[in-house]
């Protein structure tokens, strides 16, 4: 008893001299609240203790609480005569305010306010050398703790003794937890707790598909990571399994994930590692069969059953969960961004409702980690989001408020925010993989929610718990256990709508911070302006391609989805994968666009003052293209002029030749540009322009042969007449590579298609011409003897290359 009295006196003295309370609401560094700061070994406090379980987690009268953990000698000398014991809470009064909980959590060393050590139970420690660890178990009667009334109490375990280098008997270290005591009696109105349950994953569906023999398309994934995640033990499987056992959850689902799961329920293929950024059409030689069909099918069935429970709610994120903050800060002025967000919102709702057969709410914006500013909320409103999920770190409560207000609040322009409690949500922002971390988070959650409910026991309020998007399995199970422990006692699980539609507290903070106050760390992980500009360019190029396709649905849906996937919030934690994905989408769109092109040429000879320049256009897609025209532009129209542009309709896998009337005035080289353009309103350049040289020869100077000119002209006219007549009779020129001459283009200038031989494009003049395209036979050949343009036989490629082929049919 003498030693106990000495310890009591020492504790009282410590209470007077060592008490240093943390400021109300103070949190450890990093922004995430911890139950207590990790003990730091020192000469004075060399022991580190942990509390790894409390059973039960809520104390009741006449019961007992069993505590387990570890004791570690983190000092430099051995422990002597030490033991571990439970401390009786200081004064026996509960911690009534949340600021009291923060004060306890902020302590780093034993002080008198931690209470007085009980004589029983105690755990005698053997001599522990530096670095040694021992487990301990202590079971204490609730009545011995002296708990005076309902509330939350500090529960501390300390180590007492001496060390080899200091024989003074003293406190050597301490571990703290919280213990709610709920004996019953006066009833408080439970706090309505809305818990977000996120199901998100970095995008895996590629824009490419593989067409099979039945003209159906097989989905292509960039990797097969979902196969493991959907299987038992995988993250997404365990999230659904754990969530299915909880009532009143708000499932927050990325529709792209559901689409990927649905695609995997059928045979699918996976890109070979390292090929996802190349943007090449998917084929059997650069993909492998996927392995997750059975797992995806079972997972979807399990998810449908979980979300169908009437007490649950489903929030459909915009398709692929685009990063609102990145767009607001780095791409708000890009014209394609608003289009992408609007498409994502519509597609998100339709996808989740269609795949899961459940009603959804789709007007909810969830910026990265809930951080908001005025630019983000403004963009969310433009995209149709009337409700914003925000972090309490962005919208803190006024210092004058001495209780926790309900989570919903108006933020202007008819928009509301539901603000997550920063302390409670922060408990689950990390992976709680150790028993110590799990117990800390659970007991702090119970303590915080108990305190919130009893701040104003007859004023029920709404609380939002916001875990991270990448919620881990271990953390999800800790959160589930905490919810189940408190439910029916002092909290009531509630859907998001139940909180969002409640009356806001007029004293709560409603100010949305300026963009300058957005957290620096969060801004550092944003998609850059270059990333967003590249994605915006994809939208522009996709719109251009859509103008010329006769079956645009093969491309529009898959590329719209792929473009939005390029903006996914999940790329923040996987920046290299996000860059590769964006590059792959860009390159594949270029592959499809280049499938309709003017083959390259270098030099064309025009032998005469008039004639026709022949230029081929090739369509390697498996659908007809239309709404195109070819425009030839001379850099020196005073030396060489060409006729008007020619419109064309080009069937699938065909080439066609267009003939332009040319008039030369001087000999020598003239640079010519061939450019495809879309027709109709607001025409756009299509694809890359091809530049080549026209070598003009044999233009007369008009001053020679003054005396013999009439006879020569008559002779030339007769020869010309005979040549034209011979050609009109259908007899080919003896040199098939020679020009057509002055014959008009067939079909009134619009290109028709016909089989093309294996030679290069040619251009003609009145006296003959030749051309070198520098492509070594890679370009399609025009038949110079016929009246119509040449074409390539259907289904073949004039250059023998693999085409973009049917791969423009990329939608499932």
């Amino acid at each position: 008893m003498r030693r106990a009295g000495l310890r009591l006196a020492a504790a009282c003295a410590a209470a007077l001299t060592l008490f240093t309370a943390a400021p109300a609401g103070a949190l450890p560094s990093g922004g995430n609240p911890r139950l207590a700061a990790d003990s730091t070994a020192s000469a004075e406090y060399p022991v580190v203790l942990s509390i790894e379980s409390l059973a039960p987690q809520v104390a009741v009268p006449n019961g007992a609480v069993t505590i387990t953990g570890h004791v570690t000698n983190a000092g430099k000398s051995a422990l002597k005569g030490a033991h571990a014991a439970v401390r009786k809470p200081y004064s026996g009064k509960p911690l009534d305010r949340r600021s009291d909980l923060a004060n306890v959590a902020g302590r780093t060393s034993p002080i008198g306010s931690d209470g007085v050590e009980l004589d029983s139970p105690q755990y005698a420690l053997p001599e522990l050398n530096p670095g040694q660890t021992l487990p301990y178990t202590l079971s204490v009667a609730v009545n011995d703790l002296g708990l005076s009334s309902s509330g939350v109490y500090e529960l501390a375990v300390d180590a007492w003794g001496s060390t080899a280098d200091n024989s003074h008997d003293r406190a050597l270290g301490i571990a703290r937890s919280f213990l709610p005591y709920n004996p019953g009696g006066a009833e408080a109105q439970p706090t309505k707790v809305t818990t977000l349950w996120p199901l998100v994953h970095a995008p895996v569906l590629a824009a490419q598909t593989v067409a099979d023999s039945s003209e159906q398309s097989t989905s292509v994934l960039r990797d097969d990571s979902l196969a493991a995640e959907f299987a038992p033990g995988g993250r997404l499987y365990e999230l659904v399994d754990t969530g299915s056992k909880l009532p009143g959850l708000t499932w927050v689902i990325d529709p792209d994930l559901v689409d990927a799961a649905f695609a995997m329920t059928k045979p699918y293929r996976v890109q070979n590692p390292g090929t996802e950024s190349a943007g090449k059409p998917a084929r059997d030689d650069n993909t492998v069969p996927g392995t997750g069909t059975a797992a995806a099918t079972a997972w979807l069935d399990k998810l449908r059953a979980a979300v169908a429970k009437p007490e649950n709610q489903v929030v459909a994120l915009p398709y692929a969960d685009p990063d609102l903050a990145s767009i607001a800060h780095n791409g708000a002025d890009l014209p394609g961004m608003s289009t992408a967000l609007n498409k994502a919102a519509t597609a998100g709702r339709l996808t989740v409702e269609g795949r899961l057969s459940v009603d959804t709410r789709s007007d909810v914006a969830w910026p990265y980690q809930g951080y908001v500013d005025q630019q983000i909320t403004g963009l969310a409103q433009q995209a149709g989001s009337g409700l914003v999920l925000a972090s309490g770190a962005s919208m803190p409560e006024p210092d004058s408020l001495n209780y926790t207000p309900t989570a919903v609040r108006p933020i202007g322009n008819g928009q509301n925010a539901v603000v997550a409690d920063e302390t409670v949500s922060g408990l689950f922002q990390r992976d709680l993989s150790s028993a110590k971390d799990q117990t800390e988070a659970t007991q702090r959650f119970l303590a915080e929610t108990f305190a919130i409910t009893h701040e104003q026991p007859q004023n029920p309020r709404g609380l939002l718990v916001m875990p991270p998007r990448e919620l881990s399995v271990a953390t999800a199970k800790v959160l589930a256990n905490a919810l189940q422990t408190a439910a029916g006692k002092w909290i009531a699980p509630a859907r998001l709508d139940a909180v969002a539609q409640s009356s806001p507290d007029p004293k709560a903070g409603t100010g949305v911070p300026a963009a300058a106050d957005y957290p620096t760390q969060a801004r550092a992980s944003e998609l850059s302006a270059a990333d967003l500009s590249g994605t915006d360019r994809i939208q522009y190029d996709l719109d251009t391609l859509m103008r010329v396709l006769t079956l645009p649905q093969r491309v529009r849906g898959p590329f719209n989805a792929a473009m939005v996937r390029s903006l996914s919030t999940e790329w923040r934690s996987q920046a290299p994968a996000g860059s590769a994905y964006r590059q792959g989408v860009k390159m594949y769109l270029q592959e499809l666009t280049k499938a309709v092109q003017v083959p390259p040429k270098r030099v064309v000879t025009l032998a005469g003052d008039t004639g026709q320049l022949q230029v081929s256009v090739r369509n390697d897609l498996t659908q007809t293209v239309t709404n195109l025209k070819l425009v030839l532009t001379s850099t020196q129209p005073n030396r060489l002029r060409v006729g008007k542009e020619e419109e064309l309709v080009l069937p699938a896998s065909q080439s066609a030749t267009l003939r332009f009337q040319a008039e030369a005035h001087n000999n020598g080289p003239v640079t010519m540009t061939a450019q495809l353009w879309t027709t109709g309103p607001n025409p756009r350049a299509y694809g890359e322009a091809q530049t080549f040289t026209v070598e003009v020869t044999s233009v007369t100077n008009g001053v020679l042969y003054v005396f013999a000119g009439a006879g020569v002209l008559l002779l030339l006219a007769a020869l010309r007449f005979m040549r034209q007549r011979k050609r009109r009779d259908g007899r080919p020129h003896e040199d098939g590579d020679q020009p057509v001459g002055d014959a008009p283009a067939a079909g009134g200038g619009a290109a028709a298609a016909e089989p093309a031989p294996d030679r290069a494009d040619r251009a003609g003049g009145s006296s003959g011409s030749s051309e070198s395209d520098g492509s070594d036979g890679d370009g399609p050949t025009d038949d110079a003897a016929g009246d119509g343009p040449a074409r390539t036989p259907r289904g073949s490629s004039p250059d023998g290359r693999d085409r973009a082929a049917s791969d423009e049919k990329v939608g499932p």
Side-chain angles (χ1 to χ4, degrees), residues 757-803:
D758 295 329
R759 292 186 299 270
D761 297 345
R762 302 296 176 182
S766 60
S767 299
S769 69
S770 63
E771 162 194 337
S772 171
D773 64 6
S775 59
D776 298 327
D778 285 346
T781 302
D782 304 326
D783 186 348
D787 288 337
R791 68 181 178 189
T792 309
R794 184 176 180 84
S796 65
S797 172
D799 57 4
R801 297 185 295 109
D802 287 339
R803 309 179 181 284

Side-chain angles (χ1 to χ4, degrees), residues 470-563:
E470 61 278 8
L471 179 63
S472 72
V473 173
T475 301
K477 291 184 176 181
V478 173
L479 176 54
N481 173 62
L483 290 168
Q484 290 171 320
T485 301
K489 298 182 178 70
W490 57 85
I491 71 169
R495 296 154 52 103
L496 176 63
D497 282 350
V499 174
Q501 295 169 4
S502 60
S503 298
D505 189 322
K507 296 180 180 180
T510 60
V512 178
D517 297 323
Y518 190 78
T520 302
Q521 183 177 3
R523 192 179 289 274
S525 66
E526 289 180 343
L527 304 182
S528 68
D531 293 334
L532 298 175
S533 296
T535 301
D536 188 66
R537 180 67 194 189
I538 291 174
Q539 180 67 64
Y540 181 88
D541 291 344
L542 178 61
D543 291 342
T544 303
L545 180 61
M546 292 300 97
R547 294 187 180 197
V548 308
L549 298 182
T550 53
L551 297 173
Q553 66 274 13
R554 290 184 178 181
V555 178
R556 182 187 293 114
F559 264 103
N560 281 338
M563 195 197 76

Side-chain angles (χ1 to χ4, degrees), residues 186-204:
E187 293 295 329
Q189 294 295 316
T191 300
K192 293 182 290 186
V193 175
T194 293
T195 305
L196 303 183
W197 204 257
L199 292 180
V200 299
H201 187 277
V204 296

Side-chain angles (χ1 to χ4, degrees), residues 42 51 124 128 145 155 167 217 230 247 267 309 325 370 414 435 440 481 510 523 530 606 644 658 760 777 809:
S42 65
I51 295 176
L128 281 182
L145 293 173
L155 184 65
S167 61
S217 58
F230 288 152
K309 294 180 179 179
E440 282 183 354
N481 173 62
T510 60
R523 192 179 289 274
L606 180 64
K644 64 180 182 64
L658 291 87
K809 184 179 178 182

Side-chain angles (χ1 to χ4, degrees), residues 169-231:
D169 201 27
R170 66 192 189 279
L172 301 174
I174 195 168
R176 302 174 179 86
S177 186
F178 294 108
L179 181 66
Y181 179 54
N182 193 32
E187 293 295 329
Q189 294 295 316
T191 300
K192 293 182 290 186
V193 175
T194 293
T195 305
L196 303 183
W197 204 257
L199 292 180
V200 299
H201 187 277
V204 296
L205 279 170
Q208 295 94 326
T209 60
V210 177
D212 59 26
S213 57
S214 62
E215 293 300 318
Q216 298 298 313
S217 58
T218 299
S219 297
V220 176
L221 277 60
R222 67 180 181 91
D223 62 45
D224 212 10
S225 57
L226 286 177
E229 293 222 22
F230 288 152

Side-chain angles (χ1 to χ4, degrees), residues 30-56:
N32 291 339
R34 296 177 59 86
L35 183 62
D38 289 335
S39 300
T40 301
S42 65
E44 187 175 5
Y45 303 111
V47 172
V48 175
L49 291 99
S50 66
I51 295 176
E52 297 172 8
S53 72
L54 291 179

